Amino acid sequence: MQRLEPATTALLTVECQNGVVGEDSALPELAKEAQASGMLARVAELVAGAHRAGVQVLHAVAERRPDGRGANTNARLFRAAGKLPVQQLTGSAAVRVAAPIEVAEQDLVVRRLHGLSPMAGTDLDALLRNLGCRTLVVTGVSSNVAIPNTVFDAVNLGYQVVVPADAIAGVPAEYTAQVLRNSLALVAAVTTTEEVLAAWS
């Protein structure tokens, strides 16, 4: 892989939060896959590598108000999420970035109260443009919904997108490989954590 220039590259973690991939996840099957596959540990490695290389890190967090105001209800996924035992409530432990990922002082946390993508209707695009970002490295969960949404939105907005295949996860595990091969590889550079870290070294 070509060197990813730190000045024009950003690393994005998607929904790597306690209530999604942590020990007290609302989605235990997804959390188990994120841990067992090594995805969460690799995201932490990428974040640490980005910090060392001077690459801007952003963390995209999904949350909702306790009263649900402004949240989507127009799909089965949203209605099911509203009934889960762990709610991604603003200010709660569920919406904190999960260990072992370390959030540095210079990192930016982008929160959303609605939708399926951290790009749509949030500050993310404006922040990336103000930072001079042209290339976005996308990591996190899930390969079922949020990751494809993020990648497609970023491509539509003109970014070069890089996806470390071993730093995303979804359920079932084999579905991630299919999404990478049949969808994401058509629009993004699919690589590995090791290759991204080598490009930043």
Side-chain angles (χ1 to χ4, degrees), residues 21-110:
V21 294
E23 291 183 5
D24 297 320
S25 171
L27 305 163
E29 188 179 0
L30 178 58
K32 181 179 177 182
E33 176 59 25
Q35 305 256 359
S37 68
M39 182 228 68
L40 198 56
R42 281 188 284 273
V43 172
E45 287 179 47
L46 284 164
V47 168
H51 289 155
R52 288 192 299 272
V55 172
Q56 180 65 54
V57 178
L58 301 96
H59 305 278
V61 173
E63 59 183 52
R64 59 186 286 134
R65 288 167 49 111
D67 61 7
R69 190 173 295 272
N72 289 69
T73 58
N74 59 330
R76 194 176 93 188
L77 175 66
F78 301 124
R79 294 190 293 274
K83 298 174 184 174
L84 291 172
V86 177
Q87 293 291 302
Q88 317 296 323
L89 298 181
T90 300
S92 71
V95 299
R96 291 189 199 124
V97 175
I101 299 167
E102 295 206 6
V103 180
E105 186 177 353
Q106 68 268 24
D107 292 1
L108 297 171
V109 179
V110 179

Side-chain angles (χ1 to χ4, degrees), residues 86-174:
V86 177
Q87 293 291 302
Q88 317 296 323
L89 298 181
T90 300
S92 71
V95 299
R96 291 189 199 124
V97 175
I101 299 167
E102 295 206 6
V103 180
E105 186 177 353
Q106 68 268 24
D107 292 1
L108 297 171
V109 179
V110 179
R111 304 183 182 280
R112 78 174 197 272
L113 291 171
H114 63 87
L116 300 170
S117 168
M119 274 280 183
T122 72
D123 295 332
L124 183 54
D125 180 40
L127 291 172
L128 291 171
R129 291 186 189 281
N130 288 345
L131 290 162
C133 173
R134 300 301 308 139
T135 302
L136 186 63
V137 180
V138 177
T139 66
V141 294
S142 74
S143 58
N144 305 75
V145 178
I147 295 297
N149 268 271
T150 306
V151 171
F152 292 137
D153 284 350
V155 169
N156 284 332
L157 289 166
Y159 295 96
Q160 297 288 331
V161 179
V162 175
V163 179
D166 54 356
I168 67 169
V171 289
E174 56 270 22

